[in-house]
Amino acid sequence: MIDQINNICKDMPDLGKALVEGYQATKADLFKNRNLRVLNCTHDDLDGAVSGIVIENVFPNVRTVQVNYKGGTEYDNAMAEILNTADTYDAIIFSDFCPDDGLVEAIHKVNKPYLVIDHHPTATSRDDELGVYFIKVGQCGAMDCLEYFSPIADLSHLKTLCEVTNDHDLWFRKMVPLSDQLNNLYYEYGASNFMDKYRNGMDGYKLPAEDLALLADHDRQVDEYMATCPQKELPHNGYYIKCDKYNSDINLRLTDKYDWLVMDGGETTPGITKLSFRTKLKNLDLGQTLKALGRGGGGHPGAAGQ
């Protein structure tokens, strides 16, 4: 549709721009209706969980499922939800995640409108009559969701939670140890329990006493587990470690010593290995590097997965 508008108005670019903006705004108006029954497919990390919390605060009738890139269980589960439960929702929201061709094809099979809110530099929008895309890099997915929905809902109670999440997800690290601790709690509780516990946000920039006690025990378990992991130094001050859990914690224990890391998560499904990459080098963009390799995956300059 956008290409058609631009072609018709090729001699009147201002008119074409106005018509395109009107077309996109009309599609986006649907998501101002808080009575929508929503299927939320959100990324399977802290940022995805907090994005899901924002959306659950906007829409009373929402079902949240986790999603990740093709090749994992989360992708297959999200695909099944889209295809098999279409009668139970009016629209789909992807948060902190941009659907690939396979997921978009599934959406068209069930003929449902969808909204994409993402912040990854590798995310791409498409001219799709069913889709609305809000892609804004420079802040995490949860902050994008907060910005997108604040005009229609009071989400001020979630601002601190989103700020702390932003510090961890974009690796600003101005709020450590708090932002690291929040991320660890996400993995300790699991996505569903974490979202239930923090559904109303944080009590200022602090964690409850019971969560701090849980984290102390968690740190001991990480140290014990890490001692059992295969690991070795790599060229150019890099490091490799094979670990199928505690990835974020292990990353934090190694990142100050090494310039770049490879964390091997093992086979998530037969024949498919999950790799996580991290770097503190400012002249290396991991997300674009993985995309250029053409083997799937992507992410941010300093943190990416494949």
Side-chain angles (χ1 to χ4, degrees), residues 75-276:
Y75 182 95
D76 294 338
N77 290 343
M79 178 74 78
E81 285 287 333
I82 292 169
L83 292 173
N84 299 333
T85 68
D87 291 340
T88 66
Y89 61 84
D90 303 311
I92 305 170
I93 298 177
F94 291 92
S95 51
D96 189 36
F97 183 84
C98 190
D100 66 359
D101 291 341
L103 290 169
V104 172
E105 182 180 342
I107 294 169
H108 277 261
K109 286 182 179 179
V110 297
N111 194 32
K112 297 289 183 176
Y114 68 98
L115 167 65
V116 176
I117 302 178
D118 195 14
H119 71 116
H120 295 99
T122 51
T124 56
S125 61
R126 60 188 86 206
D127 178 12
D128 186 345
E129 66 272 17
L130 292 179
V132 176
Y133 285 78
F134 180 77
I135 296 174
K136 183 176 181 180
V137 299
Q139 61 186 16
C140 71
M143 292 295 289
D144 280 352
C145 289
L146 192 73
E147 178 179 333
Y148 190 88
F149 289 114
S150 285
I152 66 169
D154 181 6
L155 302 170
S156 57
H157 57 293
L158 299 178
K159 185 173 181 291
T160 300
L161 177 64
C162 291
E163 286 177 349
V164 177
T165 300
N166 191 64
D167 185 70
H168 178 83
D169 195 69
L170 269 65
W171 215 240
F172 290 144
R173 303 190 58 71
K174 295 179 180 180
M175 295 185 180
V176 293
L178 178 60
S179 54
D180 292 341
Q181 291 172 329
L182 188 70
N183 183 67
N184 290 342
L185 285 172
Y186 163 77
Y187 288 104
E188 279 294 296
Y189 282 120
S192 180
N193 290 333
F194 177 88
M195 291 175 68
D196 287 343
K197 184 176 180 64
Y198 284 91
R199 193 178 190 281
N200 296 314
M202 296 176 62
D203 181 15
Y205 295 93
K206 60 183 180 180
L207 297 175
E210 66 269 20
D211 284 354
L212 292 174
L214 179 66
L215 288 172
D217 184 61
H218 168 84
D219 285 341
R220 176 187 58 77
Q221 295 177 40
V222 173
D223 290 337
E224 292 175 355
Y225 170 75
M226 190 173 171
T228 70
C229 294
Q231 49 196 294
K232 63 180 179 180
E233 293 190 345
L234 297 174
H236 305 290
N237 199 33
Y239 203 77
Y240 165 91
I241 184 166
K242 186 170 185 178
C243 51
D244 58 5
K245 58 182 180 179
Y246 302 134
N247 290 48
S248 181
D249 302 86
I250 290 172
N251 171 42
L252 294 174
R253 283 162 167 74
L254 296 172
T255 192
D256 289 336
K257 184 176 180 181
Y258 297 97
D259 290 333
W260 64 284
L261 307 173
V262 180
M263 289 174 284
D264 180 347
E267 290 192 357
T268 55
T269 56
I272 298 176
T273 297
K274 179 181 179 180
L275 300 176
S276 297

Side-chain angles (χ1 to χ4, degrees), residues 1-23:
M1 178 64 74
I2 293 176
D3 288 341
Q4 293 173 336
I5 293 173
N6 287 332
N7 185 52
I8 293 171
C9 300
K10 58 185 178 182
D11 296 326
M12 298 174 286
D14 290 341
L15 175 60
K17 180 181 179 182
L19 289 173
V20 167
E21 290 176 352
Y23 166 66

